[in-house]
Amino acid sequence: MDKTDERLISALRHDARASLSDLALQLSLSRTTVRARIERLIQRGDILGFSVVLKEDALQDPVRGLMMIGIEGRGAQRITRQLQGLTEVRAIHSTNGRWDLIVELGTETLEELDRALARIRSFEGVQTSETSLLLSTKKTT
């Protein structure tokens, strides 16, 4: 991926609905070049797809947080399966460093988030955790 591809992806992240002509003008490229680059990025798997974010999706979880989890022993797979069953869990990420998992949570109220956190902390094998509330989002995918 070269600098032009990176600029194209940045433009698509800003407005995935932009026409090929608009993208070409913005990037100082021909419309044919823009189309060919997008097709190549899709074929190589650099672009996996396009999505629509609805206003209702953004408002769905007024309370959001990230929970970092430290797991004792080899219980990560079991705990991941348990997390997948919780309706409050939006995403589960494995990671390196101090934390074994980072879990994205979303609820309607702080009380619901508190209950979800308590439930997760009670899972056998969860050794330690730390949670940060997400106050605002400046940019999404």
Side-chain angles (χ1 to χ4, degrees):
M1 185 179 312
D2 63 14
K3 290 287 185 194
T4 302
D5 288 339
E6 290 173 2
R7 289 177 44 231
L8 175 58
I9 289 172
S10 177
L12 288 169
R13 282 185 170 152
H14 178 71
D15 181 6
R17 294 184 58 209
S19 69
L20 292 176
S21 298
D22 289 342
L23 291 168
L25 184 64
Q26 180 180 346
L27 300 172
S28 300
L29 299 170
S30 72
R31 188 178 175 279
T32 305
T33 300
V34 170
R35 187 183 75 239
R37 283 181 174 265
I38 290 173
E39 288 174 4
R40 190 185 78 239
L41 289 166
I42 291 170
Q43 287 174 351
R44 284 193 343 210
D46 292 322
I47 295 177
L48 298 178
F50 298 85
S51 64
V52 175
V53 178
L54 300 175
K55 184 178 180 181
E56 300 85 45
D57 294 338
L59 298 175
Q60 183 177 356
D61 294 323
V63 179
R64 298 170 299 136
L66 295 176
M67 181 180 199
M68 286 69 73
I69 301 173
I71 299 169
E72 63 184 350
R74 298 177 182 249
Q77 287 182 337
R78 178 180 37 78
I79 290 172
T80 299
R81 281 192 306 275
Q82 289 175 293
L83 290 167
Q84 289 171 338
L86 297 179
T87 59
E88 301 88 356
V89 172
R90 301 294 176 254
I92 304 166
H93 308 277
S94 61
T95 185
N96 67 332
R98 179 177 176 196
W99 304 106
D100 298 299
L101 297 174
I102 297 177
V103 179
E104 295 179 45
L105 299 158
T107 62
E108 288 289 323
T109 66
L110 282 171
E111 291 80 13
E112 291 174 19
L113 181 65
D114 186 43
R115 284 191 294 274
L117 296 174
R119 186 170 179 195
I120 293 168
R121 286 186 197 111
S122 72
F123 290 171
E124 183 181 336
V126 171
Q127 186 174 21
T128 186
S129 70
E130 181 178 314
T131 303
S132 294
L133 290 177
L134 300 175
L135 301 176
S136 67
T137 300
K138 307 299 183 209
K139 180 182 176 182
T140 61
T141 312

